[in-house]
Amino acid sequence: MNIHTDRRSILGGLLASPVLSMAPTAGKQKSRGGLSTLTDLDFGCAVQARHVLVDQGLRETILKECDTITPELELKWDFVESDKGQLNLAPAQQLAQIVTDAGKKLHGHALVWHKSTPAWAIEAILDQREWSIVTNFFDAIMPPFSKAIDSWDVVNEPIETGHGEDGLRNSFLMRAFGADYIERAFVDARARASRADLYLNEFGLLDAQSYSSAKRAATLRLLERLVSRGVPIDGLGIQGHLDLKRGPIDQQGVSNFVQKVADLGLKIRISELDVREASPDIPQTNRDQEVANAVAALLDVVLPFDNLTGITCWGISDRYSWLPPLSITAGLNRGLPLDSDLRQKPMYWVLENALRQRKPSKSSDRV
Ligand code: 9MR
């Protein structure tokens, strides 16, 4: 798959980040149209239904800024069916209504994840080793959202290097079904969502540390195997939980990795972008700039790839971030595009400039 700009110039160095260097200085810019109107690249964020339902400002903001909204909790198995057979679909349905009324889509997160499975299901799966326990959940969750959802995280976080077969996580799913559970999940998701894009979603793929290059290698091996076996997978969600304490991402390593994913004919999306801060005691302007720099360093690597379909932040306002404050005095972690009062920060402008770099624009009235 081709990339549409010269990757070498974009990788020229962190200090010369093109996305960042195009970003206007603080206070000089206010976006009028919202990020959703800028290009063909899908922009989105994760939210919780309970926040959207009570916070009108948040609701208006996500509908203005986003093409696609990811329910942060409401489609997870432990949320939907914490007690066997007692389905709780109402929060996801309320969110779907709000989003589709505005002509937007939901991204489904996540069908199979070792962390969000209710205890009763883990017990039953380990005890009976019946795959139908998993597909019963697919049947509960997929048909009701067939109109609202056009992409799904089918398998979330299956890689854990350091032990086990091929870097696969030694989860209850592996123990019950072996490595085939991944393939089965995609096949059975496709049977229930013939037109949706089906993603494998993984974290820890960006850092310079050796665990991260090992994860990239294990992820590639898995994707190669799935593609060679004709498994119906459309792409890889690269979680973007950046952490300033871990230092700069491995731009060259990530670029090589994305190229190999593209060569397999797969799409990528940045699926869970946010930044965990490292230095809460420096001035706020510097904090926000550090966050923006980290985001720019990632976007500079992935933007040139034609197979990049979208960028989703894991939240949009610091008020509702899953990331805790770094210290008692630091206030909220400031790792999302908007502050707690929904004001744009440098991370927002970096995203806006990145989206503007993509062509063609889907909007004729861009500002
Ligand atoms: O942000 C989510 C947090 O509110 C939940 O308590 C947690 C467990 O359901 O999941 C968090 O989201 C995770 C996502 O589903 C998968 N990748 C890592 C995210 C952050 O932990």
Side-chain angles (χ1 to χ4, degrees):
M1 199 156 292
N2 294 324
I3 56 177
H4 63 240
T5 53
D6 182 352
R7 202 149 36 94
R8 278 164 309 177
S9 67
I10 284 184
L11 292 177
L14 269 174
L15 291 175
S17 166
V19 168
L20 193 58
S21 64
M22 288 174 63
T25 49
K28 291 252 172 76
Q29 173 174 328
K30 188 140 182 66
S31 168
R32 282 176 278 161
L35 300 178
S36 70
T37 60
L38 292 177
T39 57
D40 60 337
L41 200 59
D42 200 86
F43 180 75
C45 74
V47 287
Q48 295 186 25
R50 64 194 172 118
H51 298 150
V52 172
L53 289 170
V54 301
D55 185 335
Q56 188 185 346
L58 176 70
R59 190 161 65 243
E60 287 169 2
T61 298
I62 61 167
L63 295 178
K64 175 178 153 199
E65 301 291 352
C66 298
D67 301 291
T68 299
I69 285 145
T70 305
E72 186 178 341
L73 305 174
E74 293 79 358
L75 293 170
K76 291 173 176 170
W77 196 349
D78 60 355
F79 187 99
V80 170
E81 197 180 7
S82 59
D83 294 320
K84 187 173 183 319
Q86 307 285 308
L87 294 183
N88 176 24
L89 292 175
Q93 277 165 336
Q94 285 168 316
L95 202 51
Q97 190 72 50
I98 291 168
V99 164
T100 52
D101 281 354
K104 316 275 176 159
K105 290 284 184 185
L106 287 184
H107 172 76
H109 174 85
L111 290 173
V112 175
W113 186 26
H114 61 282
K115 271 196 181 167
S116 64
T117 311
W120 66 262
I122 297 178
E123 208 173 292
I125 285 169
L126 286 172
D127 191 37
Q128 300 159 30
R129 303 189 177 218
E130 283 289 342
W131 182 247
S132 60
I133 299 168
V134 176
T135 52
N136 284 348
F137 173 61
F138 287 17
D139 284 333
I141 200 79
M142 297 185 79
F145 297 98
S146 59
K147 288 211 174 70
I149 294 184
D150 61 2
S151 59
W152 279 98
D153 290 331
V154 175
V155 179
N156 195 32
E157 305 177 358
I159 303 293
E160 187 182 49
T161 55
H163 61 81
E165 181 188 333
D166 273 348
L168 295 185
R169 182 182 296 281
N170 183 22
S171 64
F172 67 90
L173 294 152
M174 274 289 277
R175 294 199 292 280
F177 306 116
D180 278 358
Y181 85 87
I182 297 172
E183 178 169 341
R184 292 166 98 172
F186 278 98
V187 168
D188 284 317
R190 172 59 75 229
R192 289 158 179 81
S194 56
R195 287 192 303 273
D197 274 349
L198 303 182
Y199 283 89
L200 185 137
N201 193 45
E202 189 53 79
F203 73 98
L205 297 171
L206 301 170
D207 295 334
Q209 286 80 358
S210 59
Y211 76 85
S212 197
S213 56
K215 274 195 98 160
R216 290 194 288 272
T219 303
L220 267 180
R221 282 199 299 276
L222 172 60
L223 294 177
E224 278 159 11
R225 199 177 75 227
L226 296 176
V227 168
S228 73
R229 291 167 65 90
V231 173
I233 175 173
D234 295 290
L236 173 69
I238 298 175
Q239 293 183 23
H241 294 295
L242 304 176
D243 184 341
L244 297 181
K245 282 204 177 114
R246 296 198 302 255
I249 64 161
D250 179 355
Q251 285 190 304
Q252 190 64 58
V254 173
S255 179
N256 295 343
F257 172 71
V258 173
Q259 183 64 60
K260 286 180 184 146
V261 176
D263 291 343
L264 289 171
L266 296 175
K267 302 172 183 179
I268 62 157
R269 59 192 297 273
I270 299 300
S271 56
E272 302 187 13
L273 181 59
D274 61 10
V275 185
R276 192 186 286 262
E277 291 184 90
S279 329
D281 297 325
I282 61 175
Q284 186 167 297
T285 321
N286 301 29
R287 287 174 63 176
D288 290 349
Q289 201 58 47
E290 283 190 359
V291 165
N293 291 358
V295 170
L298 171 60
L299 297 184
D300 279 340
V301 176
V302 296
L303 266 185
F305 286 93
D306 281 340
N307 67 333
L308 174 69
T309 60
I311 300 165
T312 277
C313 293
W314 206 241
I316 196 153
S317 156
D318 295 332
R319 177 182 294 238
Y320 300 117
S321 173
W322 73 290
L323 292 168
L326 274 186
S327 71
I328 300 168
T329 51
L332 298 174
N333 189 85
R334 297 179 62 85
L336 286 169
L338 305 177
D339 73 7
S340 57
D341 293 321
L342 301 171
R343 285 183 301 236
Q344 298 165 358
K345 293 185 295 171
M347 176 176 170
Y348 181 97
W349 304 325
V350 161
L351 284 160
E352 181 175 61
N353 283 303
L355 291 163
R356 280 185 195 282
Q357 285 187 15
R358 286 287 283 214
K359 297 172 219 170
S361 168
K362 71 181 174 195
S363 166
S364 54
D365 57 359
R366 58 191 278 192
V367 289

